[in-house]
Amino acid sequence: MEINIFEKTLRMGVITLIGRVDAFSVAKLDEQFDALFNGGFSEFVVDLSAVEFLDSAGIARLVTLLKRARLAGGDVRLVWPKLETAQRILKLTKFDRVFQMMETAGEPIQLTVQAQ
Amino acid sequence: MKRTHTFPAHLDQLTAISTLIKNAALTLPAADPDMFAYEIELAVHEACVNIIEHTNSDTITVETLTEATSIQITLIDQGVAFDPAVVPVPDLSIPQEGGYGLFLIHQLMDSTTYHTRDGKNYLILQKSIVQELCNGN
């Protein structure tokens, strides 16, 4: 059990997105997601804290990641954007209820340590 | 003040359109200027993505009309017309990989109207700082 949790922690991919996450830029994410899944990752933290603008194409990619992760037995957590403006779309679409939201990307490791 | 700009209908123009809209919206004395401008920027952005991805129009013309307490943005394209009424409202209890654009536009703006005339499609978006105050936002 400890080994599994340890493995899970090691296999937790933290994806940090910075700046504009929109229909023009999201194509870059697909390759990154493929590489992470091919590398055996199924648990992800997507750190949106430095995101300045997030559109519906951006949140659609988060859903794609969530579905792929859950099919692989994992999950996706999101770190809130620091800017209240960039948080707006997550609240309007109620994505903050679909995903587990965190204040910082450091929380999953702290949670795992407490679970041990 | 009314201003008109025409952009190629390409995704690489979205940042330029956003900057134009944000700067226009920030001229209004909203209670929360950054949020007011961001909501309009996001709504116009979503509308432009729809035009670029679904109408095959070569260009998007952006007209901004700023008044003392409101802003109106008209997006004009020459592509395939669509009926916003037939676009389904997303079920927010089930995360989807698309279909949020029009929903967001309606949520973010006070009014949205669409019509086609002489081969051109007009999407008119309006938002008022008075409405913003009434909503308590």
Side-chain angles (χ1 to χ4, degrees):
Chain A
M1 187 174 182
E2 286 183 9
I3 291 173
N4 286 341
I5 293 171
F6 187 65
E7 283 284 319
K8 181 179 174 183
T9 303
L10 283 178
R11 291 288 176 176
M12 180 172 286
V14 178
I15 304 166
T16 302
L17 305 179
I18 299 169
R20 288 180 70 91
V21 180
D22 67 4
F24 180 57
S25 63
V26 288
K28 298 174 188 170
L29 282 177
D30 295 333
E31 283 184 21
Q32 299 294 328
F33 290 169
D34 287 343
L36 285 165
F37 281 108
N38 290 338
F41 287 87
S42 60
E43 293 280 347
F44 299 95
V45 173
V46 182
D47 185 349
L48 303 173
S49 60
V51 167
E52 297 169 358
F53 184 89
L54 179 61
D55 75 352
S56 65
I59 63 171
R61 286 304 198 287
L62 298 178
V63 175
T64 302
L65 180 66
L66 180 68
K67 288 184 174 178
R68 290 182 68 178
R70 288 185 174 169
L71 274 175
D75 207 350
V76 179
R77 302 176 191 185
L78 303 182
V79 178
W80 279 110
K82 284 182 181 170
L83 291 174
E84 192 179 348
T85 47
Q87 295 176 7
R88 191 77 171 101
I89 191 169
L90 295 170
K91 294 176 178 174
L92 280 173
T93 56
K94 302 193 188 306
F95 269 42
D96 57 338
R97 299 180 191 178
V98 172
F99 291 88
Q100 182 178 339
M101 304 300 297
M102 303 184 305
E103 295 302 322
T104 72
E107 289 175 32
I109 294 170
Q110 292 165 12
L111 288 171
T112 303
V113 169
Q114 288 169 4
Q116 287 178 323
Chain B
M1 179 182 293
K2 185 174 183 178
R3 289 186 172 169
T4 302
H5 300 265
T6 297
F7 299 86
H10 296 147
L11 293 175
D12 61 6
Q13 298 297 307
L14 290 170
T15 303
I17 295 171
S18 280
T19 300
L20 173 76
I21 296 301
K22 184 176 181 180
N23 289 341
L26 283 172
T27 63
L28 274 73
D32 184 344
D34 289 336
M35 185 62 80
F36 181 76
Y38 187 89
E39 289 186 345
I40 298 165
E41 178 188 353
L42 179 56
V44 172
H45 171 94
E46 294 290 344
C48 288
V49 171
N50 283 345
I51 292 169
I52 293 165
E53 294 189 338
H54 301 301
T55 73
N56 291 323
S57 180
D58 291 330
T59 60
I60 304 173
T61 296
V62 182
E63 290 182 359
T64 58
L65 176 62
T66 51
E67 297 181 324
T69 59
S70 68
I71 181 168
Q72 176 177 294
I73 298 106
T74 304
L75 301 177
I76 306 163
D77 71 81
Q78 301 179 59
V80 179
F82 84 108
D83 182 358
V86 303
V87 179
V89 177
D91 179 351
L92 298 184
S93 66
I94 304 169
Q96 301 172 187
E97 292 169 270
Y100 293 102
L102 200 58
F103 164 79
L104 287 167
I105 293 167
H106 286 303
Q107 291 291 311
L108 294 166
M109 302 302 290
D110 294 341
S111 72
T112 304
T113 59
Y114 182 85
H115 68 270
T116 297
R117 188 178 65 228
D118 299 332
K120 295 181 180 179
N121 307 309
Y122 296 78
L123 178 64
I124 304 169
L125 310 172
Q126 194 272 339
K127 193 173 181 72
S128 164
I129 61 171
V130 175
Q131 189 65 40
E132 181 197 26
L133 293 172
C134 290
N135 290 340
N137 292 332

